[in-house]
């Protein structure tokens, strides 16, 4: 394990241990798979991991105007894993699809006829995806593991690649970039890697969910403002969905295993729900007169911030769905 430029370079086994020790307040519902396209294999010499990661960060910050590098992790051709932006921040990778997500950028151009993925990188991608599913209790399916290709470039609508889509993570990524390719070629490898690992099927210990309403929210080791800040995790950020395991005098315990608390006055209660219809329109206001801005597939999970006349706001922006088509 090596640290440079604010990034950590790890082997897969080091990553798995690091992930188990890393505290994450933000609730994770999905894992995004991408390829970098540029840089590709021709730009990687086997020892310039940090230089390539720093170059991507500089491009994302200086050219795109983002706050940091877009992805949480980069996986290199030699199977090395490198951290990117903090897990407490949503990625900047798929339009309107970044909330509650983790982004993996796989270095290379995996469109047919370009980079042929190495065995080491294949094994690392599968292992990292499986470790994230285990860590965040995610079932292995195409709602929790998603490809950039499935979402329109302009508005993030999920159309599974039928028009105005990037090829990312590549037309030859584990046999193809379509949803059926993922089901046939990629998900079985992740499931096999998890063989013998029992994912939790419920969250009985969770008292409720809340959304952070402050720009940053300190996490303290006791339920009072005079206690010290937790040293092994970052502050929570605006819009993050936190799990609450206990409540004491206006303070919320956000870890089931450690004494980590946040002030409840800087949060708002939310409800977790699942889409129960095949396709659910997301609108820019609470009613059918408002334009469609997105579409959700059956089984997708959302958090409800506000309810108005049987319409539910599912983000801090104006994104609304009909309550009739949700299961709570």
């Amino acid at each position: 394990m090596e640290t440079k430029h604010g990034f950590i370079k790890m082997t897969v086994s080091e990553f798995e241990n690091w992930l188990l020790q890393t505290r994450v307040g933000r609730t994770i519902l999905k894992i995004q798979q991408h390829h970098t396209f540029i840089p590709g294999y021709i730009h990687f010499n086997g020892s310039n991991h940090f230089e390539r990661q720093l170059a991507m960060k500089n491009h994302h910050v200086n050219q795109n105007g983002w706050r940091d590098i877009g992805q949480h992790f980069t996986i290199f051709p030699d199977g090395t894993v490198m951290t990117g932006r903090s897990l407490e921040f949503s990625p900047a990778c798929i339009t309107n699809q970044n909330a509650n997500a983790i982004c993996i950028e796989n270095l290379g151009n995996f469109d047919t006829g370009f980079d042929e993925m190495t065995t080491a990188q294949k094994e690392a991608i599968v292992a990292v995806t499986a470790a994230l599913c285990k860590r965040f209790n995610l079932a292995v399916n195409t709602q929790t593991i998603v490809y950039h290709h499935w979402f329109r470039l302009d508005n993030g609508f999920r159309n599974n690649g039928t028009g105005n889509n990037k090829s990312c993570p590549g037309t030859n990524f584990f046999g193809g970039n379509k949803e059926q390719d993922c089901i046939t070629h990629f998900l079985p490898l992740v499931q096999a890697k998890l063989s013998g690992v029992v994912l939790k099927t419920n969250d009985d210990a969770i008292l409720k969910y809340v959304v952070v309403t402050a720009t940053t929210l300190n996490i303290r080791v006791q339920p009072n403002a005079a206690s010290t800040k937790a040293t092994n995790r970052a502050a929570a950020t605006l819009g993050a969905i936190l799990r609450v395991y206990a409540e004491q005098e206006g303070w919320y315990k956000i870890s089931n295993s450690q004494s980590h608390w946040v002030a409840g006055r800087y949060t708002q209660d939310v409800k977790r729900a699942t889409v129960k219809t095949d396709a659910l329109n997301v609108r820019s206001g609470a009613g059918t007169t408002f334009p469609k801005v997105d579409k959700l597939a059956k089984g997708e999970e959302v958090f409800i911030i506000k309810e108005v006349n049987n319409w539910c706001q599912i983000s801090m922006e104006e994104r609304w769905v009909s309550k009739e088509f949700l299961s709570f």
Side-chain angles (χ1 to χ4, degrees):
M1 188 178 294
E2 184 181 355
T3 301
K4 190 176 180 180
H5 303 313
F7 308 123
I8 305 173
K9 180 167 74 78
M10 297 172 277
T11 64
V12 168
S13 61
E14 287 172 338
F15 168 79
E16 290 168 339
N17 290 330
W18 173 88
L19 186 63
L20 289 175
Q21 301 301 317
T22 300
R23 302 295 168 183
V24 183
R26 192 169 63 99
T27 300
I28 305 301
L29 297 181
K30 64 183 65 174
I31 302 165
Q32 302 173 358
Q33 295 287 352
H34 301 258
H35 70 169
T36 58
F37 187 75
I38 297 174
Y41 276 25
I42 195 171
H43 303 105
F44 178 66
N45 64 17
S47 62
N48 61 343
H49 306 78
F50 288 108
E51 290 76 9
R52 291 268 54 98
Q53 189 81 333
L54 182 60
M56 282 189 278
K57 177 179 178 177
N58 288 339
H59 180 80
H60 292 171
V61 172
N62 297 321
Q63 296 296 120
N64 296 355
W66 299 345
R67 68 184 302 165
D68 198 352
I69 191 170
Q71 67 265 34
H72 295 107
F73 303 107
T74 303
I75 301 178
F76 289 81
D78 61 356
T80 297
V81 185
M82 186 170 289
T83 59
R85 71 167 52 193
S86 167
L87 286 172
E88 293 298 352
F89 292 106
S90 296
C93 296
I94 304 179
T95 302
N96 291 327
Q97 297 292 334
N98 293 312
N100 310 306
I102 284 178
C103 171
I104 300 172
E105 285 282 358
N106 303 297
L107 192 143
N109 177 359
F110 302 118
D111 284 341
T112 301
F114 291 89
D115 295 330
E116 188 70 29
M117 189 183 291
T118 65
T119 298
Q121 191 174 26
K122 285 181 180 179
E123 292 176 350
I125 293 169
V126 171
V128 167
T129 304
L132 291 169
C133 288
K134 178 182 176 182
R135 175 67 173 78
F136 297 108
N137 190 30
L138 301 177
V140 179
N141 58 47
T142 55
Q143 297 301 335
T144 58
I145 298 172
V146 300
Y147 291 178
H148 193 177
H149 177 64
W150 304 344
F151 303 91
R152 283 177 60 104
L153 281 174
D154 53 353
N155 54 25
F157 277 25
R158 181 164 181 169
N159 62 4
N160 289 332
T162 57
N164 195 24
N165 305 78
K166 276 189 170 184
S167 64
C168 179
T171 54
N172 198 32
F173 181 82
F174 286 87
N177 60 1
K178 302 299 183 185
E179 184 178 34
Q180 189 57 53
D181 295 324
C182 179
I183 293 170
T184 302
H185 301 294
F186 186 61
L187 298 188
L189 298 176
V190 177
Q191 193 65 66
K193 190 69 177 177
L194 286 167
S195 179
V197 175
V198 179
L199 297 176
K200 293 184 298 181
T201 57
N202 60 64
D203 293 302
D204 290 342
I206 297 175
L207 181 66
K208 62 180 179 179
Y209 294 91
V210 297
V211 61
V212 176
T213 57
T215 302
T216 58
L217 180 56
N218 291 324
I219 299 169
R220 300 188 180 275
V221 298
Q222 295 297 329
N224 62 76
S227 67
T228 58
K229 299 176 186 177
T231 58
N232 61 341
R233 64 190 307 166
T237 59
L238 179 68
I241 304 294
L242 306 180
R243 302 168 299 281
V244 176
Y245 295 93
E247 185 174 354
Q248 183 175 325
E249 297 180 350
W251 286 77
Y252 296 150
K253 186 172 183 283
I254 63 166
S255 172
N256 197 30
S257 59
Q258 294 193 332
S259 183
H260 288 166
W261 298 78
V262 297
R265 65 182 178 275
Y266 299 115
T267 69
Q268 176 186 327
D269 288 6
V270 296
K271 296 178 182 178
R272 187 170 179 171
T274 305
V275 176
K276 63 180 182 181
T277 188
D278 289 339
L280 177 58
N281 290 323
V282 180
R283 297 184 180 271
S284 63
T288 56
T289 58
F290 290 90
K292 301 173 187 177
V293 295
D294 199 358
K295 186 175 291 186
L296 302 177
K298 188 173 184 178
E300 286 199 56
E301 292 186 274
V302 294
F303 290 98
I304 309 305
I305 293 175
K306 184 192 299 184
E307 295 184 31
V308 176
N309 297 327
N310 288 318
W311 284 81
C312 298
Q313 186 178 359
I314 61 171
S315 77
M316 299 189 79
E317 298 175 339
E318 293 295 334
R319 293 167 61 84
W320 297 76
V321 296
S322 172
K323 186 178 180 179
E324 176 184 356
F325 302 107
L326 298 176
S327 297
F328 289 84

